[in-house]
Amino acid sequence: MSMLKIKIAAPAGFGIMSMGPLLAKVLKRYGFYVMGYPEYPSLIRGGYNSYLLMISDEPVYSPYEKTDILLTYSKLSFDKEDLKSDTIVIADFEKLRVDKSNLNCKVYDIPFAKTVKEEGLPDIVQNIIGIAYLCKGMGIDISVLKEVLKGALSDKVLEVNYKAAECGYRLCTEHFVNVEWEKRDLNEHIIMTGNEVAATSAITAGVNFYSTYPMTPASTVLHFLAKYAKDYNIIVKHTEDEIAGITMAIGAAYAGARAMTGTSGGGFSLMVEGLGLAAITETPLVLFISQRPGPATGMPTWQEQADLRFVLHASQDEFVRAVFTPGDLKELFYAVFDAFNIAEKYQIPVFVLSDKYLSESIFMEDGFKTEGLKIDRGYIFEGDKSDPMNLFPRYKEYKDGIPKRAFPGTPGGIHKTPSNEHDEYGFVSDDAFIRKEQQERRFRKLENLVKEMPTPLLYGDETADITFVSWGSTKTVLFEAMKYEKNFNFIHFPSIYPIDWKSTKGLLETRKKLILIENNFTGQLGGIIAENTGVFIEDKFLKYDGRPFFVEEVLNILKRVS
Amino acid sequence: MKPMELNTNKKPVWCPGCGNYAIWNALKGAIAELGLNPWEVVTVSGIGCSGKMVNYIKCYGFHSLHGRVIPVATGVKLANKNLTVIANGGDGDGYGMGLGHFIHAMRRNVDITYIVHNNRTYGLTTGQASPTTLKGVVTKSTPEGVIDEPVNPIVYALSAGATFIARGYSGESELLKELIKEGINHKGFALIDVLQPCVSFAKEFSYDFYDNRVYKLDDNYDFTSKENAYKIAYEEDRFALGIIYKDISKPSYEEQHSVLKDKALVEREVRVRDISNILSAYK
Ligand SMILES: Cc1ncc(C[n+]2csc(CCOP(=O)(O)OP(=O)(O)O)c2C)c(N)n1
Ligand code: SF4
């Protein structure tokens, strides 16, 4: 296995967030596997943005701490980055006013600023010059870069960027990195962020209504769906707030739309009231929640997985919901697709829980198989034209706790849909018997639902001594660590509620040593496992500094415990 | 269809003499006289005495959350623009809790009719001050009298760009019915603020109070003039009844939305979509 870690860094506003994916695409087209992880503060200009790319001749899943090559346009790099003697730093030292003689690393001093001035190019294309410089240094033909530029940029700015690319190639006079690795044909692979995949999956699943209010790191789902709304006949509405976002989606779903909303924890706090409305009215709704650290506004652009308990328990009273916790692009794609079917089939709210790291990092996949995928809209009353004024028992059990839906406009389907407890026709009721009957019916949905949720799975060598227990995106780092260390395996939870705890308990109990790994302070999954199985995982590896796990950290843990 | 046939088998539980009965009758009358198919009508309500309305009319009914009538109704209408969507709520519901939604609804101009049962009190929670309670009135939550300036819904609506603004009164049921009909026929958001006496908790705003202060806008009144409308909205000692403002030049939200131009959203089949085009951009 060969591996190279390149970081591009610059003040916000310099285009780093698009340079990372651009370079990643070039590398993929050239024949390397790539994974990319961006870090950025909540600033539009200034500050310190970085994009870390992991490049390999094998699939690569997660970020590392150590950088091999740093291409930087920011003086801050020299404080923020851990530069080792073998780190290659590419920068315009004159422009940054950094004294390179004091640096204990390999330095390439490139006059980016002077070049754009001499060539009459806009300042901003220094970023492309740098990318081109890197590409040449790795021996990648300029045609690959130009092809990617062509796909990414409008015709208006293409010439300027081509020129910048040529400047970068000219400035680089040596292959300063050795990547004489075996190349693969990765042309059919896609390279996408989690949010792009979540939105694409929603489109696949036939979503036709998405209403929400922007909140990082979920906002790009809104942007993506808005971009494709016209092509696919989707109503995408940026509402006045999250309360309107979720209740509008509920209104639409009630009327027959396939509806979804999406936000982060802060926005979901506002949506909780609407969540209860979806539950009591049995209106199907998909909620895409991308986590970030902190209560209230927290750290908008950083990583944490601490909203699991929140989505599991949000709202007063008790009701059936489903919670998916996908760990990678594939799981995310199928979780979102299934979420729509499950929401409509069981007439419940369904969560897909992502986080900043999964939502905004870029990963590679060999595509998504969509043959065989089916839409299941659940039980729907088709109407009765002969008796259009009939009152319809909307909340009467049809099968397995599930009633039939009747969309407004359906003759013979007239019923009421209240936020109060209600009888079979939807009339408000506080009758003790009716309350009990309705509550029991709604909970009867669990029995079949649990069979449809993906179960925790063991990855790696069955007989290994150490077993990590993870949910959500931490799956990726454990996969990556397995490249180096074989004496561990892990149990990953792609969904957490409702799942079959009996078999899960069995899976956990037959392991030699369990270590919980979670991006939160309290080890939320650990608590949930203890509550449901009596298995208490004492060893915990918890991280809550706003960053995802890095591979080296996992390897260090393994060293410590074995 | 006769209004009576729109009754459900539930008897209204409003207090005897409550102004909500007149709104109920006017609404049933409007639906019946317009010849709407009840299964193509959706009433959406908030929470409060006003919100109970949905239970008493035999058409589809969504009794939503306190203050959230507007976004739920908007979702219904955007999903199926062929439906007649009638939203109901109280003044606490719509001008307090839901004020933000209310203002934004008028910017949007989605084709829904919004009837506000404005009784200047919180009825269901037994008589606290509402956003339209006038200054000085003593209530359970304001024992020294209200200090806040009241919300003036007509002024708010005018400034938010509403295209149909009317005021009705429970004591003038016939007129109210006509206003509701006009509101339903209006292509766009229609606000009907109804002066609704709450006989149990808002004794200051009784039928007597209104009977002496309401007057009907005459046939010569030009409701296309915003200037006229503002004048009327700011009247303090009397309340004009009728269509205060109407603008038919602005298209509704649905008419402007590219996805809704030719078909209702729910008329399009939900099926697995081909995403190869999207994916190829990421190759
Ligand atoms: C979130 C929430 N907060 C509070 C309540 C309690 N509540 C029910 S009705 C109501 C006020 C109703 O007043 P108004 O909207 O004026 O309607 P009215 O009863 O006067 O018709 C309140 C505060 C609630 N149901 N939901
Ligand atoms: S409390 Fe007031 S608003 Fe409520 S039913 Fe009684 S009179 Fe009507």
Side-chain angles (χ1 to χ4, degrees):
Chain A
M1 174 192 55
S2 303
M3 164 71 79
L4 187 67
K5 283 98 62 183
I6 299 181
K7 187 179 266 187
I8 323 169
F14 202 75
I16 288 305
M17 291 303 137
S18 41
M19 287 310 104
L22 189 115
L23 178 58
K25 210 172 202 179
V26 172
L27 293 160
K28 180 190 92 84
R29 295 258 179 100
Y30 186 65
F32 294 154
Y33 288 95
V34 202
M35 183 270 150
Y37 163 64
E39 284 189 351
Y40 61 106
S42 190
L43 285 175
I44 304 304
R45 299 249 168 243
Y48 188 67
N49 284 8
S50 73
Y51 218 112
L52 175 64
L53 293 179
M54 270 53 61
I55 304 148
S56 177
D57 54 353
E58 273 181 28
V60 54
Y61 307 101
S62 79
Y64 287 69
E65 268 175 330
K66 184 175 174 293
T67 305
D68 300 316
I69 302 176
L70 173 70
L71 164 63
T72 181
Y73 301 89
S74 169
K75 201 180 159 102
L76 285 174
S77 276
F78 300 93
D79 306 326
K80 296 215 175 230
E81 301 296 338
D82 183 13
L83 302 174
K84 299 275 190 314
S85 61
D86 60 347
T87 314
I88 294 173
V89 179
I90 305 162
D92 188 342
F93 284 87
E94 197 187 316
K95 173 81 191 298
L96 295 183
R97 293 172 204 275
V98 172
D99 182 3
K100 60 187 177 191
S101 60
N102 288 338
L103 294 172
N104 178 30
C105 54
K106 291 187 203 161
V107 165
Y108 287 78
D109 185 0
I110 316 299
F112 294 127
K114 208 172 115 217
T115 307
V116 289
K117 209 174 212 170
E118 281 172 6
E119 299 287 330
L121 292 167
D123 237 21
I124 184 81
V125 298
Q126 288 185 52
N127 56 21
I128 294 292
I129 300 180
I131 300 281
Y133 186 93
L134 265 174
C135 289
K136 170 90 179 285
M138 295 171 76
I140 298 170
D141 196 273
I142 193 167
S143 62
V144 186
L145 174 58
K146 282 190 168 174
E147 192 189 290
V148 171
L149 283 173
K150 194 164 179 214
L153 302 171
S154 71
D155 288 348
K156 230 171 53 203
V157 295
L158 195 58
E159 270 316 309
V160 172
N161 281 280
Y162 274 178
K163 218 168 145 195
E166 282 152 16
C167 289
Y169 268 74
R170 212 172 334 116
L171 287 169
C172 180
T173 51
E174 55 170 323
H175 281 192
F176 57 91
V177 268
N178 176 22
V179 286
E180 303 300 318
W181 317 329
E182 196 182 332
K183 284 184 279 180
R184 325 273 164 161
D185 177 4
L186 299 172
N187 284 326
E188 287 309 305
H189 278 59
I190 51 105
I191 181 159
M192 287 174 104
T193 66
N195 279 358
E196 286 163 346
V197 167
T200 303
S201 173
I203 290 174
T204 314
V207 68
N208 54 20
F209 200 95
Y210 187 77
S211 53
T212 192
Y213 192 80
M215 188 168 190
T216 308
S219 309
T220 48
V221 172
L222 169 68
H223 308 164
F224 193 98
L225 290 172
K227 181 172 149 194
Y228 286 103
K230 201 168 173 207
D231 296 349
Y232 292 98
N233 292 311
I234 306 165
I235 293 186
V236 177
K237 186 66 193 156
H238 166 183
T239 51
E240 57 271 29
D241 54 31
E242 285 88 350
I243 297 173
I246 187 169
T247 46
M248 201 178 282
I250 289 169
Y254 157 77
R258 231 183 188 210
M260 172 170 168
T261 187
T263 185
S264 190
F268 180 57
S269 299
L270 290 179
M271 288 185 181
V272 170
E273 184 195 31
L275 175 72
L277 180 64
I280 188 79
T281 59
E282 295 175 73
T283 308
L285 184 68
V286 176
L287 298 105
F288 177 79
I289 312 285
S290 187
Q291 303 161 95
R292 69 193 216 187
T297 308
M299 286 161 68
T301 61
W302 298 88
Q303 165 67 4
E304 193 151 296
Q305 298 179 294
D307 296 343
L308 178 60
R309 287 279 196 188
F310 184 30
V311 305
L312 279 171
H313 303 302
S315 181
Q316 72 270 34
D317 202 21
E318 307 161 304
F319 53 81
V320 176
R321 67 188 90 193
V323 181
F324 285 91
T325 48
D328 53 34
L329 293 195
K330 275 228 162 90
E331 272 181 359
L332 181 58
F333 185 88
Y334 296 108
V336 172
F337 189 92
D338 292 344
F340 281 96
N341 281 347
I342 286 178
E344 292 203 314
K345 198 166 157 189
Y346 292 92
Q347 300 172 26
I348 55 168
V350 180
F351 292 88
V352 178
L353 203 48
S354 181
D355 52 45
K356 184 264 175 179
Y357 163 61
L358 178 61
S359 279
E360 296 194 341
S361 301
I362 49 173
F363 304 89
M364 266 171 76
E365 281 292 347
D366 55 3
F368 305 106
K369 235 182 72 128
T370 55
E371 303 86 60
L373 290 182
K374 282 204 178 65
I375 304 279
D376 187 345
R377 301 213 65 190
Y379 307 128
I380 295 168
F381 175 62
E382 298 296 344
D384 179 0
K385 289 210 174 81
S386 68
D387 188 9
M389 285 301 286
N390 178 49
L391 274 183
F392 178 75
R394 160 76 178 95
Y395 296 106
K396 183 181 161 155
E397 176 160 6
Y398 175 68
K399 242 186 214 156
D400 307 320
I402 307 165
K404 271 194 178 183
R405 288 196 286 160
F407 300 133
T410 308
I414 293 177
H415 66 272
K416 300 297 165 187
T417 307
S419 57
N420 295 71
E421 187 58 274
H422 46 260
D423 67 14
E424 289 181 342
Y425 295 89
F427 285 108
V428 175
S429 170
D430 46 20
D431 181 278
F433 176 78
I434 288 176
R435 159 68 182 174
K436 200 163 160 279
E437 189 182 53
Q438 286 290 333
Q439 186 72 333
E440 285 167 2
R441 173 187 62 74
R442 289 186 294 255
F443 269 94
R444 264 201 295 284
K445 298 175 183 180
L446 271 178
E447 197 181 319
N448 284 325
L449 174 57
V450 73
K451 294 179 206 149
E452 294 207 41
M453 299 299 287
T455 41
L457 270 185
L458 183 77
Y459 293 89
D461 178 5
E462 281 261 357
T463 61
D465 291 326
I466 293 164
T467 301
F468 282 103
V469 180
S470 77
W471 62 278
S473 64
T474 7
K475 179 184 181 187
T476 62
V477 72
L478 296 169
F479 258 123
E480 190 67 21
M482 255 177 199
K483 289 179 178 171
Y484 305 90
E485 185 58 67
K486 300 283 178 229
N487 192 24
F488 83 94
N489 54 27
F490 68 95
I491 296 170
H492 161 70
F493 284 67
S495 76
I496 289 179
Y497 182 85
I499 58 168
D500 174 12
W501 283 106
K502 217 168 137 196
S503 66
T504 305
K505 183 177 183 191
L507 184 65
L508 290 161
E509 276 176 347
T510 48
R511 301 298 111 208
K512 290 176 194 154
K513 180 181 179 59
L514 297 171
I515 301 178
L516 197 65
I517 177 166
E518 293 188 63
N519 253 156
N520 59 49
F521 187 84
T522 57
Q524 297 189 12
L525 176 63
I528 293 161
I529 289 173
E531 185 181 312
N532 287 283
T533 64
V535 175
F536 189 75
I537 306 175
E538 293 203 24
D539 287 300
K540 295 185 176 82
F541 179 29
L542 305 173
K543 188 174 176 183
Y544 36 82
D545 63 356
R547 277 73 180 160
F549 291 99
F550 295 104
V551 180
E552 293 93 332
E553 293 174 311
V554 176
L555 296 174
N556 282 339
I557 287 281
L558 284 166
K559 238 183 257 153
R560 230 171 45 219
V561 296
S562 46
Chain B
M1 174 156 295
K2 294 200 184 71
M4 275 248 311
E5 293 171 59
L6 286 166
N7 288 344
T8 56
N9 57 358
K10 305 286 165 194
K11 261 215 158 85
V13 292
W14 295 310
C15 310
C18 172
N20 280 330
Y21 288 99
I23 304 178
W24 179 48
N25 285 324
L27 180 52
K28 283 188 297 179
I31 293 171
E33 284 180 24
L34 289 174
L36 302 171
N37 287 326
W39 59 93
E40 288 167 341
V41 176
V42 184
T43 53
V44 183
S45 79
I47 299 297
C49 296
S50 52
K52 295 182 188 288
M53 176 75 91
V54 294
N55 298 319
Y56 312 136
I57 300 187
K58 202 168 177 191
C59 58
Y60 282 87
F62 197 121
H63 192 166
S64 76
L65 294 166
H66 192 38
R68 313 301 168 209
V69 198
I70 296 280
V72 173
T74 304
V76 174
K77 186 69 186 182
L78 294 185
N80 190 350
K81 64 172 184 169
N82 303 330
L83 301 169
T84 299
V85 180
I86 301 163
N88 273 283
D91 42 297
D93 191 80
Y95 302 149
M97 197 76 142
L99 186 66
H101 304 312
F102 171 60
I103 298 291
H104 288 284
M106 293 179 288
R107 288 176 55 223
R108 268 176 216 133
N109 205 27
V110 175
D111 185 12
I112 52 189
T113 307
Y114 184 34
I115 304 169
V116 182
H117 305 215
N118 186 351
N119 56 14
R120 300 182 194 270
T121 187
Y122 282 27
L124 194 68
T125 46
T126 68
Q128 300 86 352
S130 95
T132 52
T133 307
L134 300 181
K135 274 188 104 160
V137 175
V138 171
T139 75
K140 283 183 183 162
S141 60
T142 56
E144 293 187 58
V146 171
I147 301 172
D148 306 22
E149 285 297 332
V151 161
N152 184 328
I154 310 292
V155 170
Y156 282 31
L158 281 166
S159 62
T163 55
F164 182 102
I165 304 168
R167 189 190 279 136
Y169 170 41
S170 294
E172 293 282 355
S173 190
E174 257 318 289
L175 174 65
L176 181 56
K177 181 184 72 191
E178 293 306 321
L179 292 176
I180 294 173
K181 279 160 70 180
E182 294 271 0
I184 292 173
N185 282 335
H186 176 71
K187 290 268 156 276
F189 188 84
L191 168 70
I192 303 168
D193 182 66
V194 184
L195 307 172
Q196 176 242 322
C198 164
V199 294
S200 299
F201 297 110
K203 301 236 158 64
E204 288 82 357
F205 310 111
S206 62
Y207 288 96
D208 279 350
F209 172 86
Y210 286 121
D211 284 343
N212 294 327
R213 288 174 173 81
V214 294
Y215 73 100
K216 287 185 203 168
L217 289 168
D218 64 35
D219 293 345
N220 299 328
Y221 173 75
D222 177 10
F223 52 62
T224 62
S225 154
K226 245 193 187 174
E227 206 187 323
N228 288 352
Y230 269 114
K231 262 192 216 135
I232 281 176
Y234 278 118
E235 285 178 339
E236 288 209 347
D237 298 323
R238 51 188 215 145
F239 302 104
L241 303 179
I243 299 175
I244 296 173
Y245 183 71
K246 186 167 158 178
D247 174 3
I248 52 166
S249 69
K250 280 193 202 164
S252 70
Y253 191 85
E254 304 91 288
E255 283 166 337
Q256 297 173 73
H257 201 295
S258 64
V259 172
L260 297 180
K261 271 197 176 123
D262 40 304
K263 264 186 187 175
L265 195 68
V266 294
E267 286 174 308
R268 298 174 192 276
E269 192 201 345
V270 172
R271 53 192 155 77
V272 177
R273 296 196 186 100
D274 180 7
I275 47 162
S276 46
N277 251 354
I278 298 179
L279 293 185
S280 65
Y282 292 90
K283 277 183 182 164

